[in-house]
Amino acid sequence: MSDCLFCKIIAGEIPSTKVYEDESVYAFLDIEPQAPFHAIIVPKVHIASAAEITAENSGYIAKIYEAVAKIAKAENLEKGFRVVNNCGEQGGQTVGHIHFHLLARRNLAWPPG
Ligand code: AMP
Ligand code: ZN
């Protein structure tokens, strides 16, 4: 999508700090980190949100979680981490390209608020 921030990051039109990439997935550091380690993981195709997942595109979500496990190993996150997907206005989503926050290296409160 031409007007999507994360599509532009994936295309390299907007700079980012890459933490992982494969044929399906791109991951980069969040510009406003909410934890000592905070990466954003996105599929390389434009899917607007979790509300748009279908049988046709759900394979990308499996690839996202494969990437989570690889990043966690590479970053030595053996103490644990949290994966967050904000969906829609009340869910706190501000960028309309589905993305998963990978937060780590501090104790994370529950419930999240
Ligand atoms: P959400 O609020 O769940 O939609 O998350 C959007 C996230 O994207 C926020 O945590 C932002 O800090 C992050 N973000 C926005 N612009 C950039 C950027 N140019 N590079 C990296 N992260 C960004
Ligand atoms: Zn997009």
Side-chain angles (χ1 to χ4, degrees), residues 5-6 9 14-16 28-34 38 40 85-86 92-95 99 101:
L5 173 65
F6 287 170
I9 285 179
I14 291 175
S16 64
F28 52 99
L29 293 181
D30 197 291
I31 205 169
E32 257 184 78
Q34 302 301 314
H38 185 173
I40 297 280
N85 168 246
N86 297 327
Q93 183 177 5
T94 61
V95 179
H99 52 280
H101 299 257

Side-chain angles (χ1 to χ4, degrees), residues 5-82:
L5 173 65
F6 287 170
C7 281
K8 286 180 181 163
I9 285 179
I10 292 162
E13 292 164 16
I14 291 175
S16 64
T17 303
K18 176 165 86 172
V19 298
Y20 176 81
E21 182 172 19
D22 63 33
E23 69 284 357
S24 306
V25 167
Y26 186 66
F28 52 99
L29 293 181
D30 197 291
I31 205 169
E32 257 184 78
Q34 302 301 314
F37 182 82
H38 185 173
I40 297 280
I41 309 170
V42 296
K44 285 186 172 177
V45 295
H46 184 87
I47 302 168
S49 77
E52 306 297 325
I53 297 300
T54 64
E56 281 68 45
N57 64 22
S58 61
Y60 280 96
I61 308 307
K63 291 291 186 184
I64 296 267
Y65 273 86
E66 288 181 38
V68 165
K70 286 178 188 167
I71 295 166
K73 279 194 186 71
E75 296 288 338
N76 300 309
L77 304 182
E78 64 280 342
K79 282 188 167 176
F81 53 82
R82 183 171 294 167

